[in-house]
Structures are given as C-alpha cells and as structure tokens.
Amino acid sequence: MSRIKNVVPKEDYRLEVQLDNGSCVTLNLESRLHTVRFGMLSDKQFFKTATTDGICIRWGNKIEISVNEVFQLAQK
C-alpha cells in the first residue's frame, strides 16, 4: 500500500497529495464542506493546517482522511 509523502493545501479547498510511489493526487473537498464531517474545513486557515503522518491526512486531532480514503475520494 502506498504511503502519503506530503500534502499541500491549495486554493479552492483542493489538496495535492504526493505519494511515496511518485504519484500525485488532487482532492477537491469543496463539495464536502457542508457535511458534518468536513464542515470545519470551510475555515480556510484551518484547511491550510493539513499535515500527514504517512498513513492519514490530519487537521489537528479533529479530522483525518486515511490513505485508502484518499483513493476513494479521488475516484468520485
């Protein structure tokens, strides 16, 4: 399974996710900002705090997206 090498918050609630296999995935989370799970990300400053531990993308201890979920969201 691939690991997340780096995550870069972009404009318009997009995340550039760089994987350890050299691939890069862009996730557009804008359409999910009105959900209970991702609503806090509508704060642009909070959105920009995204980090990774290689397994998940995290915003503090409040929201996380696993590497498996990255692939699922990218397909939608």
Side-chain angles (χ1 to χ4, degrees), residues 7 40-41 45-53 56-65:
V7 59
M40 293 177 70
L41 297 180
Q45 294 298 52
F46 183 64
F47 180 78
K48 292 178 183 178
T49 66
T51 61
T52 186
D53 63 0
C56 293
I57 299 168
R58 289 198 166 93
W59 287 268
N61 63 352
K62 303 197 183 288
I63 301 172
E64 71 177 33
I65 301 173

Side-chain angles (χ1 to χ4, degrees), residues 4 7 15 17 27 29 32 35-41 46-47 49-73:
I4 301 168
V7 59
L15 285 179
V17 183
L27 297 180
L29 297 177
R32 293 175 169 74
T35 64
V36 171
R37 180 176 177 199
F38 295 113
M40 293 177 70
L41 297 180
F46 183 64
F47 180 78
T49 66
T51 61
T52 186
D53 63 0
I55 299 168
C56 293
I57 299 168
R58 289 198 166 93
W59 287 268
N61 63 352
K62 303 197 183 288
I63 301 172
E64 71 177 33
I65 301 173
S66 70
V67 68
N68 289 336
E69 196 173 6
V70 167
F71 291 115
Q72 292 171 355
L73 290 170

